[in-house]
Each structure stands twice: as C-alpha cells, then as structure tokens.
Amino acid sequence: MLVFDSGVGGLSVLGAIRRALPSAPIVYVADSGGFPYGTKTDAELAVRVPALLGRLVERYRPRLVVIACNTASTIALAAVRAALDVAVVGTVPAIKPAAAASKTRTIGVLGTDATVRQPYVDRLAAEFAADCTVIRHGSAQLVDLAEAALRGDDGEPEEYAAVMAGLLGQPGGESIDTIVLACTHFPLVADALAAACPRPVIFVDGADGIARRVGVLTQGQSWPDDPPEGVAVFTSDVDIGALMPTLVRYGLSRVERL
C-alpha cells in the first residue's frame, strides 16, 4: 500500500491504517520536493500530483494508493484515478461527521489556503451541512508547526493561539463548537490546538474513515504474516535526522529518495 502526502502530515492517516491493518506493507511518500502544497496554484498541483504518483506506482507496484492530503485530493483526485490502474482513496474535509456532531450548528473548517477555497468544500457543505454555518480559515503556518513538531520542535503556544484566533475570531466564530481539521498535518498537533482554544471544541478529521475505506477495498485480500519493514520515500534530499524517531514510531524504518 502506498500512502502519499506533501510532507509528514499523512502520518496521521497512516496511524489509522496501521491500527486497522497492522500487517499491511507500507510505502509512505512525502513529496518534500513539492512541499508545501497549500500555497501552490491548482494548476501546478493538477500537473504535479498525477505525474508523480504515476512514477511511484510504476516503481513500487502497490495494490492501493491513499492520497493522505486534503489539498491534493480536492484538486487532483479525479485526474489521479483516471491515470492509474490501481484503486485510489482520497482525503476530503470531514464536514459530514462535523455536522452530525455540532450542537450549535456552526462548524469551523481549518485547512490550507488551497483546500478551504475549493468548490469541493462548498459542495460538501451544501450536501452535508446545509443547516449549519460553515466558517473557514486557511493556515500555512500550522502546516509548518506540525512538520516541526514531528522533528521535536513543539513551537510556542502563542503560534497556535494565533491560528485559532484566525478561525474563531471571524464573524460568527464565537458559536463554533466543532472544527474540521481539513489538513492531515493538523491532527498531529490537535493537543496544542486544543490547549490554545479559549473554550472546549470538538475536533474532527477523516483518518478513521479513510482506514475503514481501505479495509473495504482490500477485504478478502491476504497480508503477509511477517510484513517487510515500512519504507519512507522523500522526493528531495532533505535532512531527516530529527524526523527519524517519528518515522520509526510509525513503522517506517527504511528511507529512500525518489
């Protein structure tokens, strides 16, 4: 199975997949050469993501691909599915479960700039949260904070507070009781976000739903009793020294570069 993200945010999805399918061999790909996705144009990502995944599928021959990135999925999922001959599971903002959980009927969507501006998010809100107010905030800074946290740098509380203020400080934001973490990086720093929030809120993400979908698509397939070591692939020559303990914790003990 190949799990793909712009950086290490997709580890939040990999964790859920590991819990559901502990014997599944994993290749995790961080497109460090294209990071960050959230500040790129739709046109750039619509070209880069399908082309890169085509190379990766040819090299690693996975039985299934998971795009563990909201930005890449909302922009390029259809093109990737058209280009590849393997099943592809995407990641979309978890607006449906957030709407089910909200009591105030006011939902926050916290993602990258590229994700929160997508018409796809409009469609999800119209379909699953039509009776809710949906307030969005894009934060490239939070992606960087999550990447740093996995390398041992937890950042400052004030930085997380500023991100939360960008969402909760908008008109109507005082009524938000449920927040969609619409970037796979963000669940990795959910505790820091909760600590910076001025009141209790519910955080919702799609990792468990993705793991369930992977389980359905691979139902009846056999996995090795003794799976090979997990592989982490980077698309540029980055220093992963400080990141290595995190990779090993997620079962990725070998590192390669594309």
Side-chain angles (χ1 to χ4, degrees):
M1 186 182 314
L2 191 147
V3 180
F4 175 86
D5 184 31
S6 63
V8 293
L11 292 177
S12 65
V13 174
L14 175 57
I17 293 172
R18 286 281 196 202
R19 290 190 293 273
L21 299 168
S23 298
I26 298 291
V27 175
Y28 180 89
V29 181
D31 183 15
S32 51
F35 178 87
Y37 279 5
T39 57
K40 287 185 166 48
T41 67
D42 294 7
E44 287 176 296
L45 294 176
V47 171
R48 182 178 183 87
V49 173
L52 180 54
L53 278 168
R55 291 173 58 198
L56 290 163
V57 167
E58 183 177 358
R59 177 170 175 173
Y60 291 103
R61 299 294 179 184
R63 66 178 79 177
L64 182 141
V65 170
V66 177
I67 303 180
C69 174
N70 284 270
T71 301
S73 295
T74 55
I75 293 171
L77 181 58
V80 170
R81 284 177 169 158
L84 302 183
D85 59 359
V86 298
V88 180
V89 178
T91 303
V92 298
I95 289 176
K96 182 178 181 180
S102 177
K103 304 300 184 185
T104 64
R105 314 313 294 156
T106 304
I107 297 168
V109 178
L110 189 60
T112 66
D113 292 323
T115 293
V116 300
R117 70 171 180 252
Q118 291 302 315
Y120 193 95
V121 179
D122 296 332
R123 294 195 293 270
L124 288 174
E127 183 174 359
F128 299 115
D131 65 334
C132 295
T133 299
V134 179
I135 300 173
R136 312 178 198 186
H137 179 59
S139 175
Q141 179 192 17
L142 191 53
V143 176
D144 291 335
L145 285 169
E147 289 271 329
L150 293 190
R151 289 170 167 83
D153 178 1
D154 292 333
E156 297 298 327
E158 294 80 7
E159 296 176 291
Y160 291 97
V163 172
M164 293 304 300
L167 177 65
L168 301 177
Q170 295 184 47
E174 69 280 355
S175 298
I176 292 174
D177 68 345
T178 306
I179 297 175
V180 179
L181 298 178
C183 172
T184 55
H185 281 77
F186 297 173
L188 299 169
V189 290
D191 289 346
L193 289 171
C197 193
R199 62 179 187 277
V201 297
I202 298 170
F203 291 107
V204 179
D205 68 79
D208 288 336
I210 294 168
R212 287 193 296 272
R213 181 60 179 161
V214 169
V216 168
L217 291 175
T218 59
Q219 190 171 12
Q221 299 182 20
S222 60
W223 301 104
D225 293 332
D226 187 19
E229 60 183 341
V231 181
V233 181
F234 294 83
T235 62
S236 65
D237 189 17
V238 296
D239 181 7
I240 54 91
L243 183 61
M244 200 65 211
T246 296
L247 296 177
V248 170
R249 192 166 70 248
Y250 282 87
L252 305 171
S253 55
R254 194 168 91 240
V255 174
E256 297 181 2
R257 288 176 175 81
L258 186 64

